[in-house]
Amino acid sequence: ESGASAILRGNVVQANGQCGIEVRDDGHADMRENVVRRNGHMGIYLYNGATGEIRGNDIRDNGMSGINVSRNAEPSITANMVHGNRQCGILLDHSGRGSISRNQVHSNGEPGLRIETQADPVVTDNTIYNGHHHGILICEGGCGTVQGNAVMRNRRAGIKVKTDGAPSVLANRVHHGFGLGIHIAATGRGEVASNACFSNEASNLLVEAPPHQVVVRGNGDRAAEQTEAFKRLNTFERTPSPAKGGSNGSKGGSNGSKGSPGGILSESDADDDDAWRNLDRSPSTQEDSSTNSSPLIV
């Protein structure tokens, strides 16, 4: 029904042939503390003007993207774990909007975050890491603001802009990648300013677009973090890793790594090769007390 609303909390939504949770046609859903896993298509799909709050969910191992925001949908996506999905972690397309903040996005098969076809989100304070593709890809006319994120250890570029993508890429930390740090292809547009790019295996910053297409200023290596522009624009809160011998008896997390619990690697561990190497990228084997094998449609 158009304009319907729902509260979805504490569910396990799994093993559906299509999407796990679908919100559509100006519907609104408050989705908190759910596990959305192993669905055939998207984990969570919002479209046709849908809105909602997606907070504190574990969205993993879905057959397509973990979250897809499309066709003028505009949710708030905050503090979720989005990992192990076959395609993107979070995909915004066809004029999808909304805010994306403080999420842990890792180990997805395609870009951790992809923005395309006139999508226009605000993306702040996320950690996007250990992806098998680009960390963030803006392409095919996507735009938006990508500011204050930590993007690291991705197999391709940390942030890539191409095919008339035109974002503002501001005060991000892009480091320890296996490819380029930030890559603005010849067809890319927008603004790239005050980013700190360092310790990437290829170039830290490669701009192939001509000056009339893209504004590039104030970017650098770790020294860029000391500039007033970076300090003003980057509000990312870096949570220290737990001390060795924490309450769970491990070296700092249930996975035995030096990082934070549950497969989360705190950004303060960025230079700790042991923490990166020991991070458990595999799906959780913990069984949940209640499950829902039917799709939830709002």
Side-chain angles (χ1 to χ4, degrees), residues 209-232:
H212 69 271
Q213 286 182 198
V214 60
V215 175
V216 181
R217 64 172 183 270
N219 304 285
D221 56 16
R222 300 200 78 152
E225 298 174 302
Q226 305 307 315
T227 65
E228 290 302 316
F230 184 93
K231 292 176 182 178
R232 174 171 50 84

PDB file of all heavy atoms in Angstrom, residues 209-232:
ATOM      1  N   ALA A 209      41.210  13.868 -15.726  1.00  0.00           N
ATOM      2  CA  ALA A 209      40.228  14.808 -16.272  1.00  0.00           C
ATOM      3  C   ALA A 209      40.860  16.187 -16.447  1.00  0.00           C
ATOM      4  O   ALA A 209      41.719  16.594 -15.654  1.00  0.00           O
ATOM      5  CB  ALA A 209      39.024  14.901 -15.343  1.00  0.00           C
ATOM      6  N   PRO A 210      40.446  16.949 -17.470  1.00  0.00           N
ATOM      7  CA  PRO A 210      40.991  18.297 -17.667  1.00  0.00           C
ATOM      8  C   PRO A 210      40.499  19.263 -16.593  1.00  0.00           C
ATOM      9  O   PRO A 210      39.465  19.031 -15.953  1.00  0.00           O
ATOM     10  CB  PRO A 210      40.454  18.684 -19.051  1.00  0.00           C
ATOM     11  CG  PRO A 210      39.243  17.839 -19.245  1.00  0.00           C
ATOM     12  CD  PRO A 210      39.498  16.553 -18.535  1.00  0.00           C
ATOM     13  N   PRO A 211      41.236  20.366 -16.384  1.00  0.00           N
ATOM     14  CA  PRO A 211      40.905  21.306 -15.300  1.00  0.00           C
ATOM     15  C   PRO A 211      39.504  21.897 -15.370  1.00  0.00           C
ATOM     16  O   PRO A 211      38.924  22.223 -14.331  1.00  0.00           O
ATOM     17  CB  PRO A 211      41.973  22.390 -15.450  1.00  0.00           C
ATOM     18  CG  PRO A 211      43.112  21.726 -16.138  1.00  0.00           C
ATOM     19  CD  PRO A 211      42.509  20.723 -17.056  1.00  0.00           C
ATOM     20  N   HIS A 212      38.940  22.038 -16.553  1.00  0.00           N
ATOM     21  CA  HIS A 212      37.594  22.623 -16.623  1.00  0.00           C
ATOM     22  C   HIS A 212      36.506  21.653 -16.160  1.00  0.00           C
ATOM     23  O   HIS A 212      35.366  22.052 -15.960  1.00  0.00           O
ATOM     24  CB  HIS A 212      37.292  23.101 -18.054  1.00  0.00           C
ATOM     25  CG  HIS A 212      37.124  21.995 -19.054  1.00  0.00           C
ATOM     26  ND1 HIS A 212      38.193  21.479 -19.768  1.00  0.00           N
ATOM     27  CD2 HIS A 212      36.023  21.308 -19.465  1.00  0.00           C
ATOM     28  CE1 HIS A 212      37.746  20.518 -20.578  1.00  0.00           C
ATOM     29  NE2 HIS A 212      36.442  20.395 -20.418  1.00  0.00           N
ATOM     30  N   GLN A 213      36.855  20.373 -15.963  1.00  0.00           N
ATOM     31  CA  GLN A 213      35.875  19.391 -15.500  1.00  0.00           C
ATOM     32  C   GLN A 213      35.929  19.143 -14.003  1.00  0.00           C
ATOM     33  O   GLN A 213      34.926  18.742 -13.404  1.00  0.00           O
ATOM     34  CB  GLN A 213      36.104  18.045 -16.206  1.00  0.00           C
ATOM     35  CG  GLN A 213      35.669  18.019 -17.643  1.00  0.00           C
ATOM     36  CD  GLN A 213      35.863  16.668 -18.291  1.00  0.00           C
ATOM     37  OE1 GLN A 213      35.877  16.576 -19.499  1.00  0.00           O
ATOM     38  NE2 GLN A 213      36.032  15.606 -17.514  1.00  0.00           N
ATOM     39  N   VAL A 214      37.086  19.321 -13.404  1.00  0.00           N
ATOM     40  CA  VAL A 214      37.226  18.943 -12.003  1.00  0.00           C
ATOM     41  C   VAL A 214      38.109  19.959 -11.283  1.00  0.00           C
ATOM     42  O   VAL A 214      39.136  20.396 -11.808  1.00  0.00           O
ATOM     43  CB  VAL A 214      37.788  17.506 -11.874  1.00  0.00           C
ATOM     44  CG1 VAL A 214      39.157  17.383 -12.513  1.00  0.00           C
ATOM     45  CG2 VAL A 214      37.838  17.061 -10.429  1.00  0.00           C
ATOM     46  N   VAL A 215      37.711  20.333 -10.081  1.00  0.00           N
ATOM     47  CA  VAL A 215      38.498  21.217  -9.219  1.00  0.00           C
ATOM     48  C   VAL A 215      39.309  20.345  -8.269  1.00  0.00           C
ATOM     49  O   VAL A 215      38.739  19.512  -7.545  1.00  0.00           O
ATOM     50  CB  VAL A 215      37.584  22.161  -8.421  1.00  0.00           C
ATOM     51  CG1 VAL A 215      38.404  22.993  -7.442  1.00  0.00           C
ATOM     52  CG2 VAL A 215      36.793  23.056  -9.365  1.00  0.00           C
ATOM     53  N   VAL A 216      40.619  20.507  -8.268  1.00  0.00           N
ATOM     54  CA  VAL A 216      41.510  19.709  -7.427  1.00  0.00           C
ATOM     55  C   VAL A 216      42.365  20.669  -6.609  1.00  0.00           C
ATOM     56  O   VAL A 216      43.106  21.478  -7.174  1.00  0.00           O
ATOM     57  CB  VAL A 216      42.410  18.787  -8.283  1.00  0.00           C
ATOM     58  CG1 VAL A 216      43.317  17.951  -7.389  1.00  0.00           C
ATOM     59  CG2 VAL A 216      41.554  17.890  -9.172  1.00  0.00           C
ATOM     60  N   ARG A 217      42.260  20.586  -5.283  1.00  0.00           N
ATOM     61  CA  ARG A 217      43.062  21.492  -4.461  1.00  0.00           C
ATOM     62  C   ARG A 217      43.274  20.913  -3.066  1.00  0.00           C
ATOM     63  O   ARG A 217      42.431  20.207  -2.524  1.00  0.00           O
ATOM     64  CB  ARG A 217      42.380  22.854  -4.338  1.00  0.00           C
ATOM     65  CG  ARG A 217      41.054  22.848  -3.622  1.00  0.00           C
ATOM     66  CD  ARG A 217      40.527  24.270  -3.377  1.00  0.00           C
ATOM     67  NE  ARG A 217      39.291  24.242  -2.631  1.00  0.00           N
ATOM     68  CZ  ARG A 217      38.075  24.173  -3.173  1.00  0.00           C
ATOM     69  NH1 ARG A 217      37.956  24.129  -4.480  1.00  0.00           N
ATOM     70  NH2 ARG A 217      36.987  24.148  -2.411  1.00  0.00           N
ATOM     71  N   GLY A 218      44.422  21.206  -2.514  1.00  0.00           N
ATOM     72  CA  GLY A 218      44.700  20.928  -1.111  1.00  0.00           C
ATOM     73  C   GLY A 218      44.825  19.476  -0.734  1.00  0.00           C
ATOM     74  O   GLY A 218      44.750  19.132   0.450  1.00  0.00           O
ATOM     75  N   ASN A 219      45.018  18.577  -1.702  1.00  0.00           N
ATOM     76  CA  ASN A 219      45.192  17.166  -1.390  1.00  0.00           C
ATOM     77  C   ASN A 219      46.662  16.872  -1.108  1.00  0.00           C
ATOM     78  O   ASN A 219      47.551  17.586  -1.566  1.00  0.00           O
ATOM     79  CB  ASN A 219      44.702  16.306  -2.552  1.00  0.00           C
ATOM     80  CG  ASN A 219      43.260  16.593  -2.917  1.00  0.00           C
ATOM     81  OD1 ASN A 219      42.345  16.184  -2.213  1.00  0.00           O
ATOM     82  ND2 ASN A 219      43.055  17.334  -4.006  1.00  0.00           N
ATOM     83  N   GLY A 220      46.915  15.807  -0.365  1.00  0.00           N
ATOM     84  CA  GLY A 220      48.301  15.473  -0.079  1.00  0.00           C
ATOM     85  C   GLY A 220      48.406  14.140   0.631  1.00  0.00           C
ATOM     86  O   GLY A 220      47.463  13.355   0.657  1.00  0.00           O
ATOM     87  N   ASP A 221      49.581  13.905   1.215  1.00  0.00           N
ATOM     88  CA  ASP A 221      49.779  12.682   1.976  1.00  0.00           C
ATOM     89  C   ASP A 221      49.333  12.935   3.412  1.00  0.00           C
ATOM     90  O   ASP A 221      48.452  13.746   3.672  1.00  0.00           O
ATOM     91  CB  ASP A 221      51.227  12.215   1.869  1.00  0.00           C
ATOM     92  CG  ASP A 221      52.216  13.295   2.315  1.00  0.00           C
ATOM     93  OD1 ASP A 221      51.804  14.273   2.984  1.00  0.00           O
ATOM     94  OD2 ASP A 221      53.408  13.173   1.982  1.00  0.00           O
ATOM     95  N   ARG A 222      49.955  12.276   4.375  1.00  0.00           N
ATOM     96  CA  ARG A 222      49.511  12.429   5.769  1.00  0.00           C
ATOM     97  C   ARG A 222      49.621  13.868   6.252  1.00  0.00           C
ATOM     98  O   ARG A 222      48.896  14.279   7.161  1.00  0.00           O
ATOM     99  CB  ARG A 222      50.318  11.508   6.674  1.00  0.00           C
ATOM    100  CG  ARG A 222      50.191  10.052   6.319  1.00  0.00           C
ATOM    101  CD  ARG A 222      50.570   9.131   7.455  1.00  0.00           C
ATOM    102  NE  ARG A 222      49.509   9.045   8.428  1.00  0.00           N
ATOM    103  CZ  ARG A 222      49.308   7.967   9.204  1.00  0.00           C
ATOM    104  NH1 ARG A 222      50.073   6.908   9.082  1.00  0.00           N
ATOM    105  NH2 ARG A 222      48.334   7.947  10.079  1.00  0.00           N
ATOM    106  N   ALA A 223      50.501  14.642   5.651  1.00  0.00           N
ATOM    107  CA  ALA A 223      50.634  16.041   6.056  1.00  0.00           C
ATOM    108  C   ALA A 223      49.341  16.821   5.818  1.00  0.00           C
ATOM    109  O   ALA A 223      49.069  17.817   6.502  1.00  0.00           O
ATOM    110  CB  ALA A 223      51.787  16.698   5.316  1.00  0.00           C
ATOM    111  N   ALA A 224      48.528  16.368   4.870  1.00  0.00           N
ATOM    112  CA  ALA A 224      47.271  17.068   4.592  1.00  0.00           C
ATOM    113  C   ALA A 224      46.330  17.049   5.782  1.00  0.00           C
ATOM    114  O   ALA A 224      45.469  17.924   5.925  1.00  0.00           O
ATOM    115  CB  ALA A 224      46.586  16.438   3.380  1.00  0.00           C
ATOM    116  N   GLU A 225      46.502  16.058   6.670  1.00  0.00           N
ATOM    117  CA  GLU A 225      45.638  15.985   7.857  1.00  0.00           C
ATOM    118  C   GLU A 225      45.851  17.157   8.806  1.00  0.00           C
ATOM    119  O   GLU A 225      44.998  17.439   9.651  1.00  0.00           O
ATOM    120  CB  GLU A 225      45.894  14.681   8.609  1.00  0.00           C
ATOM    121  CG  GLU A 225      45.588  13.441   7.807  1.00  0.00           C
ATOM    122  CD  GLU A 225      45.996  12.184   8.540  1.00  0.00           C
ATOM    123  OE1 GLU A 225      47.178  12.034   8.895  1.00  0.00           O
ATOM    124  OE2 GLU A 225      45.099  11.364   8.780  1.00  0.00           O
ATOM    125  N   GLN A 226      46.991  17.829   8.674  1.00  0.00           N
ATOM    126  CA  GLN A 226      47.299  18.940   9.586  1.00  0.00           C
ATOM    127  C   GLN A 226      46.793  20.282   9.065  1.00  0.00           C
ATOM    128  O   GLN A 226      46.910  21.291   9.764  1.00  0.00           O
ATOM    129  CB  GLN A 226      48.813  19.011   9.807  1.00  0.00           C
ATOM    130  CG  GLN A 226      49.421  17.708  10.304  1.00  0.00           C
ATOM    131  CD  GLN A 226      48.709  17.175  11.549  1.00  0.00           C
ATOM    132  OE1 GLN A 226      48.428  17.943  12.472  1.00  0.00           O
ATOM    133  NE2 GLN A 226      48.411  15.879  11.567  1.00  0.00           N
ATOM    134  N   THR A 227      46.224  20.303   7.878  1.00  0.00           N
ATOM    135  CA  THR A 227      45.746  21.572   7.338  1.00  0.00           C
ATOM    136  C   THR A 227      44.430  21.968   8.000  1.00  0.00           C
ATOM    137  O   THR A 227      43.658  21.127   8.455  1.00  0.00           O
ATOM    138  CB  THR A 227      45.541  21.483   5.814  1.00  0.00           C
ATOM    139  OG1 THR A 227      44.494  20.540   5.537  1.00  0.00           O
ATOM    140  CG2 THR A 227      46.826  21.047   5.124  1.00  0.00           C
ATOM    141  N   GLU A 228      44.156  23.239   8.037  1.00  0.00           N
ATOM    142  CA  GLU A 228      42.923  23.722   8.641  1.00  0.00           C
ATOM    143  C   GLU A 228      41.703  23.228   7.870  1.00  0.00           C
ATOM    144  O   GLU A 228      40.663  22.912   8.464  1.00  0.00           O
ATOM    145  CB  GLU A 228      42.928  25.253   8.705  1.00  0.00           C
ATOM    146  CG  GLU A 228      43.921  25.813   9.710  1.00  0.00           C
ATOM    147  CD  GLU A 228      43.655  25.286  11.127  1.00  0.00           C
ATOM    148  OE1 GLU A 228      42.470  25.248  11.518  1.00  0.00           O
ATOM    149  OE2 GLU A 228      44.617  24.902  11.808  1.00  0.00           O
ATOM    150  N   ALA A 229      41.815  23.142   6.547  1.00  0.00           N
ATOM    151  CA  ALA A 229      40.681  22.668   5.753  1.00  0.00           C
ATOM    152  C   ALA A 229      40.321  21.237   6.104  1.00  0.00           C
ATOM    153  O   ALA A 229      39.141  20.895   6.279  1.00  0.00           O
ATOM    154  CB  ALA A 229      40.994  22.791   4.267  1.00  0.00           C
ATOM    155  N   PHE A 230      41.321  20.363   6.225  1.00  0.00           N
ATOM    156  CA  PHE A 230      41.053  18.971   6.574  1.00  0.00           C
ATOM    157  C   PHE A 230      40.422  18.886   7.954  1.00  0.00           C
ATOM    158  O   PHE A 230      39.434  18.176   8.167  1.00  0.00           O
ATOM    159  CB  PHE A 230      42.345  18.161   6.526  1.00  0.00           C
ATOM    160  CG  PHE A 230      42.133  16.682   6.772  1.00  0.00           C
ATOM    161  CD1 PHE A 230      41.947  15.816   5.709  1.00  0.00           C
ATOM    162  CD2 PHE A 230      42.123  16.166   8.063  1.00  0.00           C
ATOM    163  CE1 PHE A 230      41.746  14.452   5.924  1.00  0.00           C
ATOM    164  CE2 PHE A 230      41.922  14.817   8.289  1.00  0.00           C
ATOM    165  CZ  PHE A 230      41.736  13.957   7.214  1.00  0.00           C
ATOM    166  N   LYS A 231      40.979  19.598   8.920  1.00  0.00           N
ATOM    167  CA  LYS A 231      40.443  19.540  10.283  1.00  0.00           C
ATOM    168  C   LYS A 231      39.005  20.048  10.341  1.00  0.00           C
ATOM    169  O   LYS A 231      38.186  19.553  11.119  1.00  0.00           O
ATOM    170  CB  LYS A 231      41.327  20.354  11.216  1.00  0.00           C
ATOM    171  CG  LYS A 231      42.711  19.753  11.419  1.00  0.00           C
ATOM    172  CD  LYS A 231      43.579  20.658  12.279  1.00  0.00           C
ATOM    173  CE  LYS A 231      44.982  20.091  12.456  1.00  0.00           C
ATOM    174  NZ  LYS A 231      45.844  20.995  13.251  1.00  0.00           N
ATOM    175  N   ARG A 232      38.685  21.024   9.532  1.00  0.00           N
ATOM    176  CA  ARG A 232      37.326  21.566   9.533  1.00  0.00           C
ATOM    177  C   ARG A 232      36.341  20.614   8.861  1.00  0.00           C
ATOM    178  O   ARG A 232      35.195  20.467   9.321  1.00  0.00           O
ATOM    179  CB  ARG A 232      37.328  22.919   8.807  1.00  0.00           C
ATOM    180  CG  ARG A 232      35.951  23.540   8.609  1.00  0.00           C
ATOM    181  CD  ARG A 232      36.079  24.960   8.086  1.00  0.00           C
ATOM    182  NE  ARG A 232      36.966  25.053   6.934  1.00  0.00           N
ATOM    183  CZ  ARG A 232      36.582  24.814   5.676  1.00  0.00           C
ATOM    184  NH1 ARG A 232      35.333  24.468   5.415  1.00  0.00           N
ATOM    185  NH2 ARG A 232      37.437  24.943   4.678  1.00  0.00           N
TER     186      ARG A 232
END
